[in-house]
Amino acid sequence: MPLDPVAPNPLLTPWNSPFGLPPFAQITPAHFGPALQEAMRQQIAELDAIGAATDLPSFENTVVALDKAGALLYRIDAVLSNLTSSQTSPELQAVQRDTAALLAAHDSQVKMHPGVFARLDALHERRHALELAPEQLRLLERLHQDAVRAGARFDAELQARYSSIMQQLAELTTRFAQNVLADESSYQLLLQGEADLAGLPDFVRAAAAQAAVERGLPEGSHVITLSRSLIVPFLTFSERRDLRETAWRAWSARGEMGGETDNREVARQILVLRQAQAEAHGYACYADYALADSMAGSQKAVFDLLNEVWQRALPAAERERQALIAMMRSHGVAGDPEAWDWRYWSEKVRQARFSIEESELKPYFPLDRMVEAVFDCAQRLFGVRFEARPEVAAYHPDVQVYEVFDAQGRSAGVFLHDNFARQTKRSGAWMSDFNYQSRNRGVERPIIVNNNNFAKGAPGEPTLLSFDDARTLFHEFGHGLHGLLSRVTYHRLAGTQVLRDFVELPSQLFEHWLAEPQVLRQHARHWQTGEPIPDALVQRLQAAQRWGQGYETVSYCGSALVDLEIHAQSAPPADIVAFEQAALQRLCMPRAVGMRHRLPHFQHLFAGASYASGYYVYLWAEVLDADAYDAFIEAGNPFDAEVAARLHRHIYASGDTVAPQAAYTAFRGRLPSLVPLLTKRGLLDEGAPSV
């Protein structure tokens, strides 16, 4: 629909919605192009003013001004990014494609601005003589690092070439993500009759029926989609091996189904451009470039960690495989387990060894009670309180809006909870923001959103979560707290804008509280009777937690190792699938385990650069989170006030104002040990060498 040339653009006018939320109901896709153009113009004008100043460069007139510049663009781009991830449309996707290169070119222009960088560089040269406060020094160093890594030191010719590379990358990563979404949203496995539903518990049947309703299929239909919260239970419980294979092959083949949505060549082009990007900076490969700005610092540090865990996980996975084979034989099934069999037979072993079934657990994990649980844990740890604001509309009816109050009772943020899968939403689970807290930009209340992709329950019935789903809820809420609790001066250092291998610590650490018996007894209540989960069931659940860790660890590490290896190539492969298979063969990856994410749909790597050469960060952060939670164990209380106060101050509230190693040491009193991680995953055998 064309824009009314007289009507004001809602993206450019003051946002008078409650809590400063975007005026979602007024925004159309056509508003974004003109609004982004105006916001980019304003930011360049702000930078020109900084660069043209006749005063000598100072922290205030250069660094503070640079951090403040671009606030309008940030909030408009955040709206576009969140909508195209969570509630997209063909019109929004067109906007995303049309503006990707434009925004990348603008970012290069900002980071390479000659007048601003000259002043920033001069201040950086004498930074230790400026008598800056620690947060001020960190800001100067991070902004300078951003500029250098974006090409600010390049000559004019190389800057132009580098900007072109970044524009092409923006277009390709956008295309990669849209291709995966297209493959996911278009697929459905129709289950016809009771024979196709064999083995599926009621909660899976209800989710499959609801998915059919949402796709406009006739009443009584059931479909399996490629939403993880639906396909994983199907692979776990379906007795129909042929249908499990069909579903698994579709899930595994996302991004390589041929036609316009095939990502194999897209990913290859991304790798070629990333190599050119790395070489422009003088690095031998993209992995070296990416890891230079990380806690790990080098390929060797990452490989050493992954390989240490990999070598311990392979025997564990083999022991699990033998248990699966024994279970298959006991049911009269010959042959070895395939990839579409592993979850099914693993669940059979788990039931037999620990007398625990997913269908027995799920009634105790209704979504609404688990939301209460994350809020309660946050309040007991950090004093924050969440109050529902049902009168406030967000971008979709499913999204719940909450006002956040700090320990002093002050309104301190807004939290949007978007929990359900839909065809207009990308897969996975993530946290993002509409605006971070920043005193320099006058933003006191951050607006944070959590996205999950849970399969919605049938009308009138609750959405029941698996224990893994509940863990995902806690994980993403940990990210959300990292954004909501941030109390910093400068935007660049706010919230989750920390080094990539530190950002998963707050999220993975928060997962630990889900498994606490007192949390389960209080919040894990049967959705029909209200009875708390029995202690005996909790004990069996805890005993079962280590089962399957060999499979999970090998599946994850395989993806992380392939990520590191493919980005370590100085000549990117012509065929990414052939490269993937060869890499897995060299690693001795068990065929029936396979990668958690295959390259043609590996959005962590190719839908953006944040996790490229960085999928290892979940394991790196798990070393930190396992060690960090031990601080509460040592205190004898999972809600110990003193430990929680240190955690709040040094991890959740500090953003990137302190280098990660220093932040962790300030909390824990030392750097972490690997032993708690190996113990948690059951990979530290009694005869294993100390780590």
Side-chain angles (χ1 to χ4, degrees), residues 8-19:
N9 188 321
L11 291 167
L12 295 173
T13 56
W15 294 356
N16 298 317
S17 305
F19 309 117

Side-chain angles (χ1 to χ4, degrees), residues 368-390:
D368 58 349
R369 288 199 177 272
M370 289 300 100
V371 171
E372 291 175 5
V374 296
F375 290 168
D376 180 54
C377 289
Q379 184 167 12
R380 295 177 69 182
L381 286 165
F382 307 125
V384 292
R385 182 168 50 87
F386 292 74
E387 288 192 8
R389 294 289 181 256

Side-chain angles (χ1 to χ4, degrees), residues 24-62:
F24 295 113
Q26 302 172 32
I27 298 169
T28 69
H31 287 123
F32 281 102
L36 289 169
Q37 289 281 4
E38 173 59 19
M40 288 187 284
R41 185 197 66 77
Q42 288 189 25
Q43 186 176 19
I44 295 302
E46 292 167 334
L47 298 184
D48 288 344
I50 297 170
T54 56
D55 296 344
L56 290 174
S58 69
F59 180 79
E60 286 294 327
N61 68 23
T62 300

Side-chain angles (χ1 to χ4, degrees), residues 90-104:
E91 294 78 15
L92 274 173
Q93 288 186 315
V95 171
Q96 189 181 27
R97 291 190 299 271
D98 292 343
T99 59
L102 188 69
L103 288 167

Side-chain angles (χ1 to χ4, degrees), residues 372-629:
E372 291 175 5
V374 296
F375 290 168
D376 180 54
C377 289
Q379 184 167 12
R380 295 177 69 182
L381 286 165
F382 307 125
V384 292
R385 182 168 50 87
F386 292 74
E387 288 192 8
R389 294 289 181 256
E391 72 279 7
V392 179
Y395 53 85
H396 188 278
D398 284 345
V399 182
Q400 303 297 308
V401 180
Y402 298 87
E403 185 175 5
V404 185
F405 295 87
D406 65 16
Q408 288 72 45
R410 296 170 300 204
S411 181
V414 182
F415 179 62
L416 309 184
H417 221 179
D418 187 352
N419 284 316
F420 298 118
R422 51 182 173 266
Q423 288 179 287
T424 55
K425 185 179 184 182
R426 72 174 173 86
S427 61
W430 67 96
M431 166 267 186
S432 58
D433 75 292
F434 284 93
N435 221 348
Y436 278 123
Q437 174 272 335
S438 164
R439 287 187 285 273
N440 190 37
R441 289 190 175 181
V443 181
E444 289 300 327
R445 294 193 298 189
I447 302 174
I448 302 299
V449 57
N450 269 179
N451 275 274
N452 293 294
N453 266 284
F454 303 136
K456 187 181 290 188
E461 295 188 2
T463 294
L464 301 179
L465 304 183
S466 68
F467 192 74
D468 283 344
D469 284 338
R471 183 184 291 115
T472 297
L473 186 83
F474 271 70
H475 178 100
E476 295 308 329
F477 190 73
H479 281 309
L481 285 175
H482 198 187
L484 288 166
L485 297 179
S486 174
R487 288 297 174 265
V488 304
T489 304
Y490 305 108
H491 170 80
R492 173 59 183 83
L493 305 178
T496 61
Q497 298 176 112
V498 298
L499 297 190
R500 183 56 58 185
D501 42 11
F502 193 67
V503 77
E504 296 298 334
L505 168 60
S507 56
Q508 293 182 188
L509 177 58
F510 201 75
E511 294 176 27
H512 288 263
W513 278 275
L514 170 63
E516 278 295 331
Q518 61 177 283
V519 174
L520 289 170
R521 280 193 293 269
Q522 181 176 352
H523 295 288
R525 293 177 174 269
H526 197 284
W527 74 274
Q528 291 173 308
T529 68
E531 290 296 312
I533 188 169
D535 288 343
L537 183 53
V538 171
Q539 292 168 5
R540 283 184 278 141
L541 173 63
Q542 292 178 328
Q545 284 303 291
R546 287 185 179 177
W547 169 251
Q549 283 299 310
Y551 171 86
E552 294 293 341
T553 306
V554 167
S555 178
Y556 164 78
C557 285
S559 291
L561 285 162
V562 171
D563 164 37
L564 186 64
E565 185 172 342
I566 201 165
H567 282 107
Q569 305 300 306
S570 58
D575 184 337
I576 64 165
V577 173
F579 178 91
E580 173 185 287
Q581 295 307 311
L584 294 178
Q585 188 172 4
R586 287 192 297 273
L587 290 167
C588 300
M589 165 69 84
R591 183 170 56 87
V593 175
M595 295 172 67
R596 180 175 297 183
H597 303 288
R598 295 194 51 245
L599 291 176
H601 58 250
F602 206 160
Q603 296 199 74
H604 287 79
L605 308 192
F606 298 117
S610 295
Y611 288 86
S613 299
Y615 192 61
Y616 76 91
V617 301
Y618 294 95
L619 187 63
W620 186 275
E622 195 172 348
V623 174
L624 300 176
D625 82 66
D627 183 85
Y629 197 71

